[in-house]
Amino acid sequence: KHDLALASYQKALDAAADDFQIAQIALDIARETEQLGRYEEAVTRFKAITADASNYAITRATALTSVGLMYYT
């Protein structure tokens, strides 16, 4: 299930029309990576989203919160 979602998001990323879509899809990819149990990769992806100042603040905050939730849950 998550493998299929991840593949779909990868395709969507290739077709993304703007930076907002790219950031949102990257966030979805990070979430699916987490669901697959690939935690180190997920943290790396979330951190990359958080560190990119061109992303909207809400997207960056969501990525950072996701890392915190991984740690505490």
Side-chain angles (χ1 to χ4, degrees):
K1 169 181 163 183
H2 295 290
D3 286 327
L4 294 174
L6 190 56
S8 293
Y9 286 131
Q10 288 290 352
K11 279 184 164 180
L13 189 60
D14 293 337
D18 58 41
D19 290 341
F20 178 73
Q21 285 182 346
I22 291 169
Q24 287 302 120
I25 296 166
L27 191 58
D28 291 330
I29 289 171
R31 288 176 176 151
E32 291 303 323
T33 302
E34 176 189 357
Q35 290 299 312
L36 288 168
R38 296 169 15 201
Y39 301 113
E40 287 183 31
E41 180 183 350
V43 168
T44 299
R45 289 180 178 277
F46 286 129
K47 284 183 175 181
I49 295 164
T50 302
D52 187 344
S54 70
N55 289 333
Y56 285 109
I58 190 67
T59 305
R60 295 171 67 202
T62 300
L64 183 60
T65 301
S66 296
V67 172
L69 288 172
M70 285 176 64
Y71 180 77
Y72 286 108
T73 57

